[in-house]
Amino acid sequence: MNKQDLRPALHFTAAEGWINDPLGVTWKDGQYHLFYQYVPGRTTWASNCHWGHATSPDMIAWTEQGVAVAPGEGDDGVWSGSIVTGTDGAATMFYTSVTEPDIGIGTIRTATPEDASWDTWTKGGKLMTAPDLGVVAYRDPFVFRDGEQWRMFVGAGLEGGTAAAVSYSSPDLAEWTLDGIAAQRNGSETDRVWTGTMWECPQLFEIGGSHVLVTSIWEDDVLHYVAYGVGSYSGGEFTARSWGQLSFGKSYYAPSFFRDKDGAPSLIFWVRGVLDPDGKWASALSIPHTLTLDGDVLVATPHADLAKYSQPGQLEQVGAAVFETVLDGGADLRCTVTAGTVIRLSGPEGSLAGTPAGTLAGTLAAVRHDGEGIRVTVNGNADFTDAFLPAEEGSELRVIIDAGVLELSGRQGIMAVPLPVVDSPVTLTVTGTASEPLLSTVTKPAAKAEDLYLAATPAVS
């Protein structure tokens, strides 16, 4: 797959270096702007994070634009946050400024773009630090319009093992008032889902008359999964009537909420564990997902922008309820799963990047329904040996296949699976589905020469 460039085609990766949280996705002047945590010059996380910047007409074909904000001027690290456009049309970035050694408790700071490109931003003042509310962890401001004022939620951990979002309000994005705790849940509560002892990137939005709080679950420097509460919001406080788990497995984390150009509620995730076989870059971002509510279940579905690059594929029936094809690019598979359904990706001899000819790649990944749900095993990946995704028998499973990554989605949850990157076509085999599976091949157009140049030479401050 992707013989010319051993990296995902449909998932954003940096030309070099480490990336994690996506940030501030905004539709502006006919294109999307995406920001993300970025550590240039290395393939592991470090505290001196930057904000990288990329643009796209459709959230699939991203062009890397370089570093928007870098450490310095009082920041040892420029960590996660959000971007809003004020009533006057001016944009403001709100980010977490961290300083060594106590990087767990950040300071909220602003920046503004130097011009309409949003390629570089000028830092403003530091707005607020952790309030005296028993806060032991504090970061990730999320700013949104709340009636006639602005609202900010900041992720927090409180004494006693309680995860929380701290609430502020402002008439003008400049002067802020502390209003208290917007929502909280103790780490001892496990009804429906456990939500940790600190919330990273808590974000609030409305779907169909209900409010949803999406947050990433953290405890003792371990990143777990993405959870959500569904309920009501008023006056800076969110009250959940139910809690659920959105992502499963160890790869999805730190999604960023945004509304697409048509106003549809959307999320894009950091995908952990996707690695360049040549050691130049690490991590990817997910394809965008559109959000809906089915009762109190939050459902994430691959965004319709993916269809721009899709065309009908062909699965050959090679046996009773056995379908097979060879993929030399991305794919979008839909099938109705039942007990015994198996989806397998296999590589030919010598197809694992960096291995000598004659080496058997064998099964890259096996996705099987065991009667209770989907279990995933990935060759050589201890984090995805028997990883579980809930999926009822008779439900539809959607599988996005790309070099180095799978994304699985259904009504009951979603999962990203990092794969070994291979330098040859792979064989897709689907067995035991309730009906004939549907396949689309997905091919991103070749980048323009100037885009390739930009991707190869990101600006670093």
Side-chain angles (χ1 to χ4, degrees):
M1 301 176 74
N2 303 297
K3 298 176 187 177
Q4 302 304 314
D5 189 6
L6 291 176
R7 65 172 66 230
L10 311 175
H11 297 78
F12 176 78
T13 54
E16 63 83 30
W18 165 274
I19 64 172
N20 51 288
D21 305 9
L23 308 161
V25 181
T26 305
W27 174 256
K28 172 185 173 296
D29 298 334
Q31 64 180 349
Y32 288 97
H33 291 259
L34 162 73
F35 298 83
Y36 50 92
Q37 294 282 268
Y38 176 49
V39 184
R42 58 184 293 157
T43 55
T44 55
W45 180 85
S47 61
N48 64 324
C49 289
H50 303 52
W51 275 42
H53 178 214
T55 56
S56 173
D58 55 24
M59 296 190 288
I60 303 295
W62 293 104
T63 298
E64 193 171 356
Q65 301 294 350
V67 170
V69 184
E73 302 174 90
D75 301 324
D76 290 335
V78 178
W79 286 19
S80 295
S82 58
I83 292 174
V84 294
T85 300
T87 55
D88 60 356
T92 304
M93 175 189 296
F94 294 83
Y95 70 89
T96 307
S97 170
V98 300
T99 54
E100 298 286 356
D102 191 9
I103 59 176
I105 299 181
T107 296
I108 309 306
R109 190 170 181 178
T110 64
T112 53
E114 294 185 2
D115 56 42
S117 73
W118 284 14
D119 285 343
T120 54
W121 295 62
T122 299
K123 294 178 182 178
K126 295 186 176 182
L127 291 180
M128 68 274 288
T129 55
D132 187 16
L133 297 172
V135 173
V136 295
Y138 181 81
R139 50 187 174 269
D140 309 334
F142 176 69
V143 178
F144 59 98
R145 191 69 177 168
D146 183 9
E148 296 300 313
Q149 65 181 349
W150 294 94
R151 180 70 57 183
M152 180 191 297
F153 281 5
V154 181
L158 309 181
E159 293 174 347
T162 295
V166 180
S167 177
Y168 300 85
S169 58
S170 171
D172 56 8
L173 296 175
E175 299 295 327
W176 291 86
T177 299
L178 172 65
D179 294 322
I181 300 297
Q184 60 184 309
R185 197 164 187 249
N186 191 270
S188 63
E189 296 184 59
T190 57
D191 182 33
R192 298 277 316 257
V193 64
W194 174 74
T195 55
T197 57
M198 191 264 171
W199 286 344
E200 294 197 293
C201 307
Q203 298 160 86
L204 183 79
F205 49 92
E206 185 176 358
I207 302 179
S210 290
H211 283 88
V212 180
L213 179 73
V214 165
T215 187
S216 296
I217 305 307
W218 181 100
E219 184 179 53
D220 295 335
D221 285 330
V222 177
L223 315 182
H224 289 271
Y225 45 76
V226 178
Y228 63 92
V230 179
S232 58
Y233 168 80
S234 179
E237 294 187 7
F238 170 76
T239 302
R241 62 175 177 260
S242 68
W243 287 93
Q245 184 172 340
L246 178 61
S247 76
F248 293 79
K250 296 184 178 181
S251 191
Y252 277 141
Y253 197 74
S256 182
F257 174 79
F258 64 99
R259 292 191 180 271
D260 71 8
K261 64 182 180 181
D262 299 318
S266 308
L267 284 178
I268 186 169
F269 295 75
W270 170 29
V271 181
R272 297 185 283 167
V274 183
L275 300 174
D276 174 22
D278 294 325
K280 295 178 182 177
W281 55 265
S283 297
L285 302 184
S286 74
I287 60 169
H289 293 72
T290 301
L291 302 175
T292 56
L293 275 179
D294 183 356
D296 280 351
V297 176
L298 184 64
V299 180
T301 305
H303 194 278
D305 275 3
L306 191 67
K308 176 179 177 180
Y309 300 100
S310 301
Q311 59 184 1
Q314 184 67 44
L315 280 166
E316 180 183 359
Q317 186 165 358
V318 296
V322 180
F323 300 86
E324 192 166 276
T325 192
V326 176
L327 300 173
D328 59 5
D332 183 352
L333 176 71
R334 303 171 194 240
C335 60
T336 302
V337 294
T338 188
T341 295
V342 177
I343 302 166
R344 191 179 305 277
L345 286 174
S346 303
E349 291 186 3
S351 65
L352 282 180
T355 62
T359 300
L360 281 172
T363 299
L364 301 176
V367 179
R368 65 189 188 281
H369 198 293
D370 65 359
E372 297 181 357
I374 301 294
R375 298 194 183 275
V376 180
T377 300
V378 177
N379 183 25
N381 188 334
D383 288 336
F384 284 87
T385 298
D386 213 30
F388 182 78
L389 173 68
E392 296 175 348
E393 288 194 75
S395 64
E396 182 178 271
L397 180 69
R398 184 116 173 240
V399 184
I400 307 301
I401 303 168
D402 197 5
V405 60
L406 296 181
E407 290 189 83
L408 314 177
S409 58
R411 179 188 177 276
Q412 294 178 270
I414 59 177
M415 177 186 286
V417 180
L419 300 177
V421 177
V422 299
D423 56 11
S424 300
V426 300
T427 299
L428 167 66
T429 307
V430 184
T431 304
T433 56
S435 58
E436 183 174 347
L438 298 177
L439 179 72
S440 296
T441 58
V442 187
T443 304
K444 189 177 72 173
K448 296 179 293 185
E450 57 266 34
D451 292 344
L452 290 172
Y453 174 78
L454 281 170
T457 57
V460 177
S461 300

